[in-house]
Amino acid sequence: MRPRLFDVVWQSFAISALAVMIALGVNQLRGNGLPLVGDWSPKAQLSELKTVEEPVVSLEEARALFLTQGAVFIDARGNEAYFAGHIRGAINLPADNFDQLFQTVMAEVPPDSLIITYCDGESCTLSKELAQNLAGKGYAHVRVLVNGWTVWQDANLPAGTGEN
């Protein structure tokens, strides 16, 4: 006679294994099944961004573009975060208020300008959303500086506070 605990453990394992096999089978048979392995890198997350440029800009390239004034930097964070600190000379266009502020903020930025959007934090999606919105409005040269504000500060690059 086997111990009762062994039976409980074995049956739990068998039920779990059966559930996993059924779930994988159903996922495989679905026309739009979920991928079992995903690429969550910033570059992969921005792959749907339809711009002329590579969607992700490195800190080194952003620094060079800043020093040569070769790009327009746009902060996608809210006003409070922008006023507390931003890349020197950056424009503030909060991704959350894009529709209300687009005309006013972007009035003097030609559609052929190279634009670098940024926000703060590796998981921040505001810069990606802003880049997609700008691309949808005809700005074909939009790039994203991932974790922009943090990496900019860590590199001791020029920053500003208050309204620009």
Side-chain angles (χ1 to χ4, degrees):
M1 190 158 149
R2 291 181 290 200
R4 186 135 178 85
L5 179 62
F6 177 77
D7 288 342
V8 169
V9 170
W10 181 85
Q11 289 172 355
S12 297
F13 175 76
I15 290 171
S16 297
L18 182 62
V20 167
M21 290 188 322
I22 290 171
L24 290 173
V26 168
N27 188 54
Q28 191 68 25
L29 294 174
R30 285 177 47 161
N32 61 342
L34 300 172
L36 298 179
V37 179
D39 182 0
W40 303 109
S41 68
K43 186 174 182 178
Q45 291 180 21
L46 292 166
S47 64
E48 71 272 3
L49 183 60
K50 303 297 182 220
T51 65
V52 174
E53 267 45 69
E54 173 71 26
V56 177
V57 63
S58 68
L59 176 62
E60 293 75 26
E61 190 175 355
R63 176 189 297 141
L65 289 165
F66 174 83
L67 294 174
T68 62
Q69 298 180 354
V72 176
F73 286 79
I74 303 181
D75 192 323
R77 302 173 299 156
N79 291 333
E80 276 188 35
Y82 174 81
F83 291 152
H86 54 267
I87 294 174
R88 186 182 302 153
I91 299 169
N92 185 221
L93 179 54
D96 294 339
N97 298 331
F98 180 81
D99 293 328
Q100 297 89 343
L101 299 174
F102 171 75
Q103 292 291 351
T104 306
V105 173
M106 299 301 289
E108 296 182 26
V109 180
D112 63 343
S113 300
L114 175 58
I115 296 173
I116 298 175
T117 64
Y118 70 93
C119 56
D120 192 20
E122 289 185 33
S123 61
C124 180
T125 60
L126 296 175
S127 55
K128 173 188 168 187
E129 292 169 25
L130 180 58
Q132 289 172 326
N133 288 335
L134 289 169
K137 293 284 189 179
Y139 289 85
H141 305 280
V142 183
R143 302 183 72 188
V144 176
L145 179 59
V146 177
N147 196 13
W149 179 233
T150 297
V151 297
W152 194 266
Q153 285 181 298
D154 290 348
N156 293 316
L157 292 170
T161 58
E163 195 167 348
N164 196 15

